[in-house]
Amino acid sequence: MDNRAVFVVDTGSRRTKAGLATGHAPSVDFLSTVTPDGSVVGDEAAAVPDAVWPVHRGSVRSWEQVETLWRSAYAKAEVESAGSVMLVAEQTLNTKAAREHTAQIMFESLDVHAGYICVAGQLALFAAGKTSGVVVESGAGVTTTVPIYDGFPRREGMQRIELAGEDATAAADAWLKRNAGSNYNGSLDVAREFKHAVAVVAPMGLDVSAEGAGEEASFELPDGTAVTVPYVARALIGSSLFDGTSSMGSVQHAVAAGIETVEPQMRDTLYATIVMSGGNALTPGSCERLQAEVKQWAGQRTAVAVSSPPDPVSAVWHGGVIVTTVGVFKKMCVTKIAYAECGPNIIHRKCL
Ligand SMILES: Nc1ncnc2c1ncn2[C@@H]1O[C@H](COP(=O)(O)OP(=O)(O)OP(=O)(O)O)[C@@H](O)[C@H]1O
Ligand SMILES: [Mg+2]
């Protein structure tokens, strides 16, 4: 394979980040939504009432529409898909069938020259400059935890929680409906902005409703009125991943349970290298709370450290870029010739 640049694509439940690996950031970043006829894609489609979201809680609902998102990503980035090399970030615990669909679109529809699929969490770990650790990827629709040792994701320790940033947006929307009345226009874009401004993850063990637990915040609605948000509301909107009230359990339990599935001699490294990425990890207090909670699980003798990569929202994409710079990347890829000889099944043999 020659020195073709690689097109890296991370299709999230909410946003698609993509671009050539030669860039410093994804050159395109658009809402993962399309109109049913596929004619309008991205932020413009979001305004159309019957627009659909082909990726729901990290899982693909329509491969045809995902193909439309990928075609659009190439077009918006002004890159020709035919003859390109494509690296796709896949969701944690992806099914074999989903990988085969991805390969089919790459080679049979987009006509790429070569392609590769990597688990999104693994890429986020590389973006943090590490090859061993546990990644907590918390985006818009799903939160996943992935233990990785020496660059190899450990499937048996992966966990998936259907609770993430858009659940917090829904909680913010409900609070505004109850407390801002007719001053709130009911737009989820406003609720999301409100959430970004006020939501916090409460420290472990804090009684958030106690007097003096934390500071209130103020937010100006688009109509110019200001709402005052008590600390208890800020914490309830921001802390659901940790509070264990979800039937899916808490993120700290998922991290600890995942670590306990790997060989005992690897566990200290993993406890000491926990990386939080994805847009939802930007909620203030996330890393501190996760560290305190996991520490409680791990016990006093185990060192626990939680950090975030420099740009949590685009970490998966940046990690993809790092993979393409590894000397053996080209050998790792599935080529069009190999795909033509072996069919979609080859993806399971070549991709980890
Ligand atoms: N500064 C911020 N504070 C809190 N949340 C934020 C912030 N910035 C973005 N988010 C939230 O992060 C989420 C989007 O994150 P991201 O782009 O990682 O998701 P995605 O990749 O589209 O979805 P997924 O990976 O779950 O399929 C949204 O819910 C958004 O509100
Ligand atoms: Mg994502």
Side-chain angles (χ1 to χ4, degrees), residues 10-17 29 32 55-59 91 120 137-143 164-169 192-193 195-197 199 277-284 312-314:
D10 171 24
T11 316
S13 309
R14 184 162 170 79
R15 298 200 78 87
T16 295
K17 303 96 175 163
D29 180 343
S32 305
V55 181
H56 178 68
R57 296 210 180 271
S59 298
Q91 75 142 327
E137 241 289 301
S138 188
V142 69
T143 299
E166 288 313 279
D167 299 288
T169 302
R192 198 172 296 106
E193 212 179 296
K195 175 192 76 170
H196 294 175
S277 75
N280 195 36
L282 286 168
T283 312
V313 176
S314 303

Side-chain angles (χ1 to χ4, degrees), residues 256-331:
I259 293 176
E260 294 302 321
T261 64
V262 305
E263 292 86 317
Q265 69 274 19
M266 298 177 179
R267 292 179 195 159
D268 281 353
T269 304
L270 300 189
Y271 274 118
T273 325
I274 301 169
V275 171
M276 273 203 99
S277 75
N280 195 36
L282 286 168
T283 312
S286 298
C287 288
E288 295 82 352
R289 173 74 178 267
L290 186 62
Q291 185 161 314
E293 296 278 2
V294 175
K295 180 83 192 156
Q296 207 179 36
W297 279 87
Q300 282 313 311
R301 277 179 300 146
T302 308
V304 175
V306 181
S307 62
S308 268
D311 175 4
V313 176
S314 303
V316 171
W317 185 87
H318 285 290
V321 171
I322 291 168
V323 168
T324 69
T325 63
V326 174
V328 291
F329 176 71
K330 286 178 181 156
K331 281 204 182 117

